[in-house]
Amino acid sequence: MSRLVRAALMVAALCVPLPGCAPNGPGPSGPWAASGTRLPREVRHIGGVIKASVYSIAPDEVQVVDSAVTIVASRSIYIHGVLETAHPGATFALVSPAVTIDGSIRAQTTGITRTDTPKGTDLIDACQLDIQGVYSHEVVAIAPGDDLDIVSNSDADSCTVAFHGRVTLEPGRTGNPEVAALRDGEPGGSVAIGTGGAIAFAKQALRKIGVTGDAYAPAIISCRTLQPLRAGFGGDGASDAKGTLVKAQSTWIFQATSGGKGGSAFVRASSIDTQGNRFEVLAGSGGNGGSVSDKSLTGSGVNGTARHPNAYSVSLFEGGGGDGGNAFVTAKGDASAVAGSGGNPGNVDSVAGSGYFDPPGNGGDITLHLGKAGTAGVEESSHGQRDGKYPYMYFSGGYGGTSQSATTASNGGNGATLFVEGPRDGKGVPADFKMRVDSFGNAGSGMSPCGSPGAKGGNGGNLLYSDGVERQNFDILSGFNGGTGGAGTPPGAGGSGGRDNDGKKIGSNGSQGATC
């Protein structure tokens, strides 16, 4: 009998009487059926507290964590096969003097939308942690949104965390307004090695299960691969292209949600041994904000009708970008800590509705609530990480209606007003951010029969802004013009051109109508 088979049988025997070892269940969600992929010999569902001298997962075995598992081994833990968490919030803790991972730790791909579990933190507490694998190959992948803490269970000068493969925290999940816990994009998971927070968490976890032990920062970080440690990116915000009609206000509301914050990466050790491979840790970038678009309503959805001559107004809530995660390495040696970039606010795509013609109605106002641009994380030295950037925006439409008949006098409809509100964080928007406005908010013309007083042209819409948005943020090509007065005796007056916040004219006055 081979040594590997004997070791597997010993672990199975140790596991049988333990309450934390569940019977075999259905297989994991991994792509085992893929061509050329070896099927697992055994799938075991584990949970609770498992104690052993040596704990091992065989090369062709998968052990699935459905809720939480703590494995305490007095000598060593070997993960030759796969340790798999069933969903975000399902956590593991590996506590032993020596932990070797030459298989993999990963998260299942099904059940990813499950939201009835809180954010979890995985833990590895070992004096000797050896993360094996092919150069630059991902060996440990933590479930979306969950954190990872790594500490040493001894303060010996030889305690080492060795990276031959990569440790990656999966990106947070995309926002979902129908699920309260995931309304915005999920924050990316953070990773901490040897920090005060990681040590405190490990001690608390040990006390909770009644295990005598301690936690320290590792003495040595050994790096044999590129970019061995990456925190999770924030999930993107949810977009809204359907909208909700508030009939009492004759307004369509489009509500996107914000991107999640990127996870942080913090490392504290005595020294770093790289042998030519810089120890580079990467924080996660913030998720991008959700987009809003009323294009599904273009035409009949927002334009005025005979029953509702005024066009419907539209209120757009742009999703803000998530902030980037922070990154720090405190240790002697060749190391680099790269913070995450800020997420971009979401795209905005809108065409304002126009007023009806009989009777003439007003154009539909647009109110845009800008989301914030995500802020880049903090790092020890600059690596060019940037804040989020606002996307290109273009506004048109919103015309006042003009009657198609001159048999009766009809004043022209007013043009739509564009109101843009800055982000709620109070930081305003960059001076170089431009919103292009072209052929927007023009008023309708008055129509009237000859010999009667001429009808008045409608007034052009206005341009309003607040909370850090300034006039310089708009590039107005045309629009906001008053309508022409109707013909008659006396002729109808032209409508007034629109104005901005400061009362400055931005549209031309309409011409007086002809005398007839």
Side-chain angles (χ1 to χ4, degrees), residues 256 288-292 318-321 344-348 371-372 389-391 393:
N288 293 325
S291 301
V292 284
E318 178 191 33
N344 299 321
N347 292 323
V348 175
K372 79 177 189 69
K389 292 186 176 181
Y390 285 92
M393 297 183 191

Side-chain angles (χ1 to χ4, degrees), residues 263-287:
S264 295
F266 300 126
V267 177
R268 185 167 68 90
S270 297
S271 63
I272 295 174
D273 173 22
T274 60
Q275 292 191 2
N277 290 294
R278 168 174 285 191
F279 180 64
E280 186 175 47
V281 300
L282 307 175
S285 293

Side-chain angles (χ1 to χ4, degrees), residues 56-216:
S56 179
I57 300 177
D60 53 358
E61 181 181 20
V62 177
Q63 294 192 3
V64 180
V65 182
D66 293 308
S67 179
V69 68
T70 299
I71 300 172
V72 182
S74 59
R75 291 176 57 191
S76 56
I77 295 174
Y78 296 99
I79 300 178
H80 303 303
V82 177
L83 178 64
E84 187 173 81
T85 53
H87 55 80
T91 59
F92 65 84
L94 308 178
V95 182
S96 180
V99 175
T100 300
I101 306 170
D102 58 7
S104 66
I105 297 176
R106 69 185 186 196
Q108 280 192 9
T109 55
T110 60
I112 202 68
T113 58
R114 180 174 174 177
T115 59
D116 58 352
T117 53
K119 179 182 180 75
T121 299
D122 298 314
L123 172 66
I124 302 177
D125 185 356
C127 175
Q128 299 294 325
L129 171 58
D130 193 3
I131 301 170
Q132 293 288 336
V134 180
Y135 184 77
S136 295
H137 178 69
E138 182 180 275
V139 176
V140 178
I142 303 300
D146 287 355
D147 297 333
L148 173 64
D149 286 349
I150 297 175
V151 297
S152 171
N153 69 347
S154 169
D155 60 355
D157 293 341
S158 60
C159 290
T160 302
V161 177
F163 290 94
H164 299 268
R166 289 180 173 176
V167 174
T168 301
L169 281 67
E170 298 290 351
R173 292 169 284 180
T174 299
N176 182 351
E178 297 181 1
V179 180
L182 280 178
R183 181 183 179 279
D184 295 321
E186 185 174 40
S190 295
V191 57
I193 299 179
T195 64
I199 290 170
F201 175 80
K203 290 180 177 180
Q204 181 183 28
L206 294 173
R207 286 195 300 269
K208 187 175 180 179
I209 61 174
V211 171
T212 302
D214 216 328
Y216 305 89

Side-chain angles (χ1 to χ4, degrees), residues 1 10 17 19 59 71 125 141 217 232 237 259 309 321 325 333 340 355 362 404 410 457 495 514:
M1 182 180 296
M10 288 175 62
I71 300 172
D125 185 356
N362 300 326
Q404 294 184 349
S410 299

Side-chain angles (χ1 to χ4, degrees), residues 227 278-283 326-329 334-341 376-386:
Q227 298 180 344
R278 168 174 285 191
F279 180 64
E280 186 175 47
V281 300
L282 307 175
N326 303 324
F328 290 96
V329 174
D334 187 11
S336 175
V338 182
S341 292
V378 178
E379 58 189 18
E380 294 172 303
S381 58
S382 176
H383 292 86
Q385 304 308 95
R386 62 169 182 83

